[in-house]
Amino acid sequence: MHLPIPYRPEADIVSHRLASLEGALDWSAAVAAARPWVEAVRRHPPPFWAMESLLREYPISSAEGLALMRLAEALLRVPDAATAIALTADQLGRADFEGAADSTLSRLSSAAIAMSKKFLPEGDHPPGLMAKLGARTVVAATLRAVQLLGRQFVLGQTIAEAMDEARSAHRKQGALRFSYDMLGEGARTDADALRYLESYTHAIRAIAAGADAARPPEHNDGISIKLSALHPRYEDAQRERVMRELVPRVWQLCELAAAANLNLTIDAEEVDRLELSLDVFEALAARVAAEQPQWRGFGLALQAYQTRALELIEHVTAVARKHRLRLMCRLVKGAYWDAEIKRAQELGLPHYPVFTHKHHSDVSYLACARALLAAPDAIYPQFATHNAGTIAAILQMAEAAQAPFELQRLHGMGEGVYREVMKSTAAPVRVYAPVGQHKDLLAYLVRRLLENGANSSFVNQLGDEAVDIDELLTSPLWLEPTNANLPLPPALYGPLPARRNSEGVDLAVESMRAPLLAALATTAVPRVEAFDAASAATAVAASAASFRSWRKTPVEARAAMLRQAADSLQRELPRFCALLVKEAFKTWGDAVAEVREAIDFLRYYADEAERIMQPVALPGPTGESNELRLTARGPWVCISPWNFPLAIFMGQVAAALATGNTVLAKPAEQTPAVALEAVKLLHAAGVPTDALQLLHGPGETVGAALVAAPGVAGVVFTGSTQVARIIHRALAAKDGPIVPLIAETGGINAMLVDSSALPEQVVDAVVQSAFRSAGQRCSALRLLVLHDSIADAVIEMIRGAAGELAAGDPARLSTDVGPVIDREAADNIRRDLKRLDSEAKRLLAPASSSTEGNLIVPQAFEVTSIDRVTSEIFGPVLQIARWGRGGLSDPAEVIDRINALGYGLTLGIQTRIDSRAQALATRAHVGNIYVNRNIIGAVVGVQPFGGEGLSGTGPKAGGPHYLYRFCAEQTVTVNTTAAGGNAALLSAVA
């Protein structure tokens, strides 16, 4: 069975879920059962540290809640005192904890946390000795508060400690069962994965020692595992490798769990991993059936907020019956909602893969619960929820189905509700219990806070007396299904018909990637005739002649042509992606992104031209009118690079055409076929052939001849700083008008990382920024500057993560790094690698393939100082320097050193100190600054792109000021009294 595509209209799916629940549930009876539980919880609220009380005291929408969340996320992992002081001052300086209720944290807050305003330094300025002593005291108190917070949501820091706590809970709360979750995020390196494997193995053995193998698994404690923690490349594109390497690892754990009759649950992950997770699950299920058929403890978690949840349950049920198994299935709402929404928006997908209304997720949960209860031969349901109404509804449906089941709650949450539920029902209850060091708590805790801190969350509303109980227990079945309450990704930039977001492809969905792979087999790279440089004057003359009519074409008509070309490009996305893979050696992800960027340029500049080219009336004295107009300049030479042969080519051309100029387009010598097909689209959309001419050939002949030709009104260039200087000098040497130059050139793009940054997030950003597109982006990361206190650990993680990248044929979905553009580029990079081997410390061992053909595998070197990096290496080569010791201890000094390099294109800042990020961004002479993310992939109209200094002239491409440079300004003043008097003034007086 194939799951449906996850991107479908929300209302249609909810209507289907509602239909599946018809006659299955009496919500009034459920409310009657749940009301006493809610009333009891409000009469006897849970302790202050419980999630419900914490969120009521410090809601995440408040400064205090946000500060507490960010401190919990970062403070425990900061190794150096100076950064810890700065982080605490930054977060607590914007919050007021003195007004908290009379409680443990309140007393701590007033005594210690509130002192931050008196003792903590402001910003990054080092305090004096007395102030520093005071600051350290406050940080210590805050650190203790965060550790106390962690203790409430982590059962134990080791499995032994957690099991001791579980035994204590058994004594206090009755017959609870536990599912232990070893804290930690996805592995970035194989060493990480093996460490997690050892942690899981140790935990299962410890649980097994205290279990009764004669009891069925549902009566024993168990463990939950994350597949992404057990393999560093747990993603659909690496399917073959995952099946080969991950399945045996998980099977080791299954054998241990089966021997002790424990339950082992595979945790749910993001939507794009669902099909892969099912493949792994089914492979393991088949092996369980063959080798451990008596074991009934194997299971997985299912997320009700996914739009395919019900179909997933049908699929899992079929798998269980096929292999004659009984699977344990934990039903949860889901924990990655905001990440799923953002990914769908970034990829330009047609719909969201998760429900966007809370009541829709609630309906889905109930429909899934009914489906699980209807298959007792195949499924043992485990219902994880803190919603009293949902619990009552499940108890009702389970009684009708006469099916065994259990309820689950998270450790540290929902205790009040379950205290009451356990008084009134014999339903077994299991606690999902995180285990691990408090510093590893951060990602888990923040997800829980965000998930339960929303205003619509039952956990949040339970303790709010202002929310009436009837409102709290409103039936989700009575609300009308509606479509997404967020703009769908196509309407991200405003309600349609505003600029439509380009549509993308989820390469993890087989049916969505199939047209791309089909296009690869049928798309040929066309031959492009070379232009004769001696004919440059003739081409310019033809362009000038066409300009006389093209400039008179109404801007609305020009814009309509660009939009038509965009629509055509959208329809032909698979063919253009295949062409990019074949001619420019793009990987599939990069190819899709580039076609989308070209579409966005066409639509954005169409809108912008219509906006800016309307006459503007200016104020003045009575009796005259004053009007400011923008007019086209004439023929523009557009010289585009090979690294973005479609997006930058189309962006330059579209900007010139939209503003009424004609274009002489000189594409990169290596990628003329992509440019030819782009020009054909524009001609088919109505752009005259003389208004847009394609002139293919070498830059030193064709490009130089066009730049030098008389009659050229402007030049727009993207490429190296060296060539930009040559063009600049050539234009300056010409007689006649001063010709404007728009140049976007390279950069020594840096990323500064302080010790408050999350290492896993840093490594993800570094690997993407430095090695994606084989490092052949203008914005690619060239220089990483790490705080010395975390440098060794981060470097080791980067080495491991880079080593996991697959280099080779870009036509393979599994390829991360394709070859560089040609042999000349490869030879240049190899010369730089040879130099670095003599000057710096090599961090990544060279692979044999790095000396063959045009494939350069990722490389990294540690240099002794920032100023040792003097030129851009245009390939997958990263240089790393340290700060935080010796003479470079202030992050502001790091920015000054980066500024001194002379380039100014992109900069990354990785820190959890908000004031530091803003101060450093202000200090940097850089065009694009990215905080706590990668530094590549600027989006048209969202992150206008371009630099300063050696990185270009501006204005920024894809921004609201770009088109102005293609225009001349004209002011028209008309004396309206010249015809005999000021009629308007006379009328006003009369």
Side-chain angles (χ1 to χ4, degrees), residues 440-487:
D440 297 326
L441 166 73
L442 52 100
Y444 169 84
L445 177 58
V446 169
R447 270 206 303 272
R448 296 286 82 80
L449 285 167
L450 290 172
E451 179 185 345
N452 293 283
N455 292 336
S456 60
S457 163
F458 182 89
V459 169
N460 195 4
Q461 292 182 343
L462 177 62
D464 187 354
E465 296 283 354
V467 179
D468 185 77
I469 292 180
D470 288 334
E471 180 184 349
L472 185 63
L473 298 175
T474 297
S475 171
L477 310 180
W478 298 342
L479 299 172
E480 192 71 23
T482 59
N483 278 316
N485 68 345
L486 298 169

Side-chain angles (χ1 to χ4, degrees), residues 34-170:
R35 180 182 291 274
W37 304 337
V38 175
E39 291 172 342
V41 171
R42 287 187 170 179
R43 283 196 307 271
H44 307 289
F48 178 81
W49 284 105
M51 177 68 76
E52 300 94 318
S53 301
L54 186 69
L55 289 172
R56 185 176 67 250
E57 193 73 47
Y58 303 118
I60 59 173
S61 58
S62 70
E64 292 74 30
L66 192 60
L68 197 61
M69 183 179 76
R70 292 191 171 184
L71 285 168
E73 195 267 351
L75 185 58
L76 292 173
R77 68 166 179 267
V78 175
D80 63 297
T83 304
I85 290 171
L87 174 66
T88 308
D90 178 72
Q91 292 303 322
L92 296 185
R94 65 192 69 200
D96 179 12
F97 285 88
E98 294 186 80
D102 185 19
S103 61
T104 303
L105 182 59
S106 173
R107 290 191 293 274
L108 175 63
S109 301
S110 58
I113 294 181
M115 290 168 59
S116 63
K117 291 187 174 70
K118 301 174 184 176
F119 291 101
L120 287 167
E122 294 184 5
D124 273 348
H125 300 293
L129 178 61
M130 293 302 294
K132 184 176 288 188
L133 292 173
R136 288 177 183 270
T137 301
V138 175
V139 170
T142 308
L143 193 65
R144 179 59 178 160
V146 173
Q147 288 172 329
L148 288 172
L149 179 65
R151 286 186 59 184
Q152 312 312 308
F153 303 106
V154 175
L155 190 62
Q157 297 200 69
T158 65
I159 188 65
E161 184 181 317
M163 291 178 68
D164 285 343
E165 290 293 326
R167 284 188 283 270
S168 175
H170 275 301

Side-chain angles (χ1 to χ4, degrees), residues 24-25 27 30 37 331 333 365-370 372-373 381-401 403 405-408 418 427:
L25 187 56
W27 190 261
W37 304 337
L331 184 64
K333 288 286 175 64
Y365 193 96
L366 294 171
C368 290
R370 186 186 189 192
L372 290 170
L373 289 166
Q382 302 167 295
F383 298 111
T385 178
H386 304 119
N387 187 313
T390 303
I391 295 170
I394 287 168
L395 293 174
Q396 184 188 131
M397 289 191 290
E399 183 177 4
F405 72 100
E406 69 180 41
L407 299 170
Q408 291 194 3
Y418 275 94

Side-chain angles (χ1 to χ4, degrees), residues 26 118 194 282 330 359 459 510 522 524-525 637 702-703 714 885:
D26 180 352
K118 301 174 184 176
L194 293 175
E282 290 179 38
R330 174 195 297 139
H359 69 276
V459 169
E510 185 177 0
T522 59
V525 179
V637 174
V702 174
R885 63 177 178 179

